[in-house]
Amino acid sequence: MSSDDPLATYRSKRAFDRTPEPAGRPPDPPPPYPLPTQHARRFVVQKHDARRLHYDFRLESDGVLVSWAVPKGPAYDPKVKRLAVHVEDHPLDYEDFEGVIPDAQYGAGTVVVWDRGTYRNLTNGGGRPVAISDAVANGHVSVWLDGEKLRGGWALTRTSREPGGKEQWIMVKRADEHADPGRDVEAEQPDSVLTGRSNDEVGEDRGSRTWTRERATWAPPMLAELVTLHHHGDPAGWQYERKLDGLRCVAVRNDGDVELWSRNHLSYNARFPHLAAAVARLPADTFSIDGEIVAYDGTRTSFGLLQDPGARAAVVLCAFDLLELLGRKTTSLPLTDRQALLRQLIASAGPDIQVVEAIEGRPAELLERACAAGWEGIIAKRVDAAYHPGRSPEWRKLKCSASQELVIGGWTDPGGARLGFGALLVGYYDDGRLRYAGKVGTGFDEATLRSLHAQLIAREQPDSPFADAIAEKAAHWSRPELVAAVKFSEWTRDGRLRHPSFQGLRPDKAAGDVRREPPA
Ligand code: MN
């Protein structure tokens, strides 16, 4: 052992290209004046799960950590003598080493910082203070520890000194106010004071304490308020997306369990199994994403095609928000952060799941382009807003043509060669009353006429559900349960739809929620 380099033995035992342990900084120059013996210096106890579990007790002294390996660790009972094997000095920067020493390396195993703090050297000889280095050479060390787990006085005394072998010492608690014969500090406080990890967790390289993932759950989605371009203006801090004419869907996954939920909490799994499978293939196993199920006919989307199980359209989940990820709610993050996480989750998804990208430009130009492209409109979202279930002023929809959901309250008989029915009688709720909005007589193909007629007959009732008197010949009435998506040019002055056209049924919307948009 070189007397020039106190760490020569430490370094000779280790291959620093293979172990993460520190090689040690060059020793600090000696202080220009002698430090008082009582000066507080650092101590550390590392719990080292090597060939045998032990506790490495280290005292800062003269630029190194003087070290003992204590198989059972320090005891709080003054009657208990714990074996402490004096080992080579360690570098000062070993004090916060926590990690895995690889197999086949010296001391292979896991290390956690089990305790640390400061100590005072209480060693004296003949009433005079003795420096730690002299105390170690003389075979007796007395210290006062101020750690997180170890507090009070301990004494270390050499019991055997084998030539060429390791020195055996014993470590004993002083009988002071901190002594506690009943306390088993190693069992009561087994983990790292730095990270809270156990040795096993360090071995599995887990970043922190294990936490249990909360299950991802469904909540009602965030909804936009309908506004006009004039009302919206061109405010700062908003982003714009295409308004999709599909079915709103919150996809919730817990491990292999996937649910595609509608906005009123009905499952779409049976209807779109390929989308459930695509969600199950995403790389994270616990999350909730918000989006819209859309049928693409080339580059156009079609709500009608979604209703038709035989259509050749590509049905895609267009995702635009992330509500939960890996057991954590993300709804309180700003929109931009939620969408950045969403893009990472969806990056490798393949064609069945797409991310809705923001579109750049002034809202007036964006709405004009959207309408020219045949879109329904655009959605405006505040970039700094959290996600709130339900209708929120922080999301707005700007529509190209008027369209909205309406409640079917009756139908008329068909004329001529037409099958099923002639027109739907539709309305909306206002103050608990179903107000009549007019007749919808176009937008049906033969299959729709037939299936919708059957659904109406199943709901037929003798009296009109509408609050308004309706002078309509050959009218039949139905329980107001079915909701239709209807496109039209405008509301007339007397509150009727102009040029209405049926777009499809909305089984995902509750009839009782249907209101006139915008309010009359
Ligand atoms: Mn050790």
Side-chain angles (χ1 to χ4, degrees), residues 224-241 359 361-367 378-383 392-399:
E225 288 185 343
L226 180 66
V227 297
T228 62
L229 188 60
H230 176 76
H231 174 85
H232 178 66
D234 188 4
W238 292 71
Q239 77 170 42
Y240 300 90
E241 296 169 6
I359 47 177
R362 298 177 59 124
E365 296 156 12
L366 292 175
L367 187 60
I378 57 175
I379 300 283
K381 297 179 177 176
R382 283 193 64 100
V383 295
S392 166
E394 289 162 323
W395 286 12
R396 293 172 172 176
K397 54 185 173 188
L398 294 92
K399 283 185 171 182

Side-chain angles (χ1 to χ4, degrees), residues 32-44:
Y33 49 86
L35 289 170
T37 308
Q38 297 288 312
H39 175 75
R41 277 167 283 180
R42 289 170 292 181
F43 85 94
V44 62

Side-chain angles (χ1 to χ4, degrees), residues 150-445:
L150 300 181
R151 287 182 179 273
W154 268 270
L156 291 123
T157 305
R158 186 164 58 220
T159 55
S160 72
R161 183 174 205 168
E162 298 161 31
K166 287 183 171 168
E167 298 177 358
Q168 296 207 341
W169 295 53
I170 53 167
M171 185 174 185
V172 182
K173 180 76 192 72
R174 293 279 187 198
D176 54 37
E177 70 269 28
H178 295 285
D180 185 353
R183 184 166 174 199
D184 182 352
V185 66
E186 285 80 13
E188 289 162 17
Q189 294 172 278
D191 298 332
S192 167
V193 293
L194 277 189
T195 62
R197 294 183 295 180
S198 68
N199 284 73
D200 287 347
E201 285 169 335
V202 167
E204 291 164 30
D205 199 26
R206 283 193 245 152
S208 62
R209 267 196 185 290
T210 337
W211 39 272
T212 311
R213 281 185 190 165
E214 295 287 318
R215 275 182 71 81
T217 53
W218 177 85
M222 183 162 173
L223 303 175
E225 288 185 343
L226 180 66
V227 297
T228 62
L229 188 60
H230 176 76
H231 174 85
H232 178 66
D234 188 4
W238 292 71
Q239 77 170 42
Y240 300 90
E241 296 169 6
R242 175 179 181 173
K243 184 178 187 313
L244 295 160
D245 54 342
L247 295 165
R248 189 70 176 272
C249 175
V250 174
V252 179
R253 175 163 161 201
N254 287 287
D255 296 313
D257 179 15
V258 171
E259 287 290 349
L260 305 176
W261 294 114
S262 76
R263 52 180 276 182
N264 56 346
H265 208 203
L266 302 173
S267 178
Y268 287 137
N269 282 35
R271 199 162 153 197
F272 305 111
H274 73 291
L275 296 181
V279 170
R281 286 193 300 269
L282 290 177
D285 61 11
T286 309
F287 56 81
S288 169
I289 56 185
D290 189 5
E292 186 114 348
I293 297 173
V294 172
Y296 277 97
D297 178 12
T299 59
R300 293 189 55 117
T301 65
S302 164
F303 184 72
L305 283 175
L306 265 183
Q307 309 294 104
D308 182 356
R312 292 175 297 113
V315 175
V316 171
L317 176 60
C318 296
F320 48 71
D321 219 314
L322 180 77
L323 315 185
E324 289 170 86
L325 180 64
L326 298 173
R328 301 294 171 95
K329 295 244 184 260
T330 52
T331 46
S332 58
L333 296 173
L335 174 69
T336 39
D337 291 359
R338 299 196 308 273
Q339 291 190 333
L341 290 169
L342 175 69
R343 276 191 285 276
Q344 293 178 48
L345 176 62
I346 304 298
S348 60
D352 292 329
I353 306 178
Q354 298 171 7
V355 173
V356 178
E357 297 292 346
I359 47 177
E360 301 293 332
R362 298 177 59 124
E365 296 156 12
L366 292 175
L367 187 60
E368 194 178 320
R369 290 212 312 259
C371 302
W375 297 1
E376 263 202 344
I378 57 175
I379 300 283
K381 297 179 177 176
R382 283 193 64 100
V383 295
D384 58 353
Y387 186 100
H388 307 289
R391 190 89 51 197
S392 166
E394 289 162 323
W395 286 12
R396 293 172 172 176
K397 54 185 173 188
L398 294 92
K399 283 185 171 182
C400 290
S401 64
S403 65
Q404 73 159 76
E405 287 86 46
L406 291 154
V407 181
I408 305 174
W411 72 96
T412 60
D413 283 331
R418 181 147 158 167
L419 293 160
F421 59 87
L424 300 175
L425 307 174
V426 299
Y428 57 89
Y429 281 97
D430 176 26
D431 222 4
R433 300 190 306 157
L434 186 62
R435 302 302 304 266
Y436 182 59
K439 285 202 291 187
V440 183
T442 62
F444 313 104
D445 59 18

Side-chain angles (χ1 to χ4, degrees), residues 14 21 46-50 52 54-56 58 68-70 87 90 94 101 106-107 111:
R14 289 169 176 82
E21 295 166 287
Q46 277 151 322
K47 186 176 178 181
H48 186 178
D49 193 1
R52 285 200 186 124
H54 60 273
Y55 296 79
D56 290 306
R58 311 186 195 281
W68 290 262
V70 186
V87 297
H90 278 51
Y94 208 93
I101 301 172
Y106 180 72
V111 176

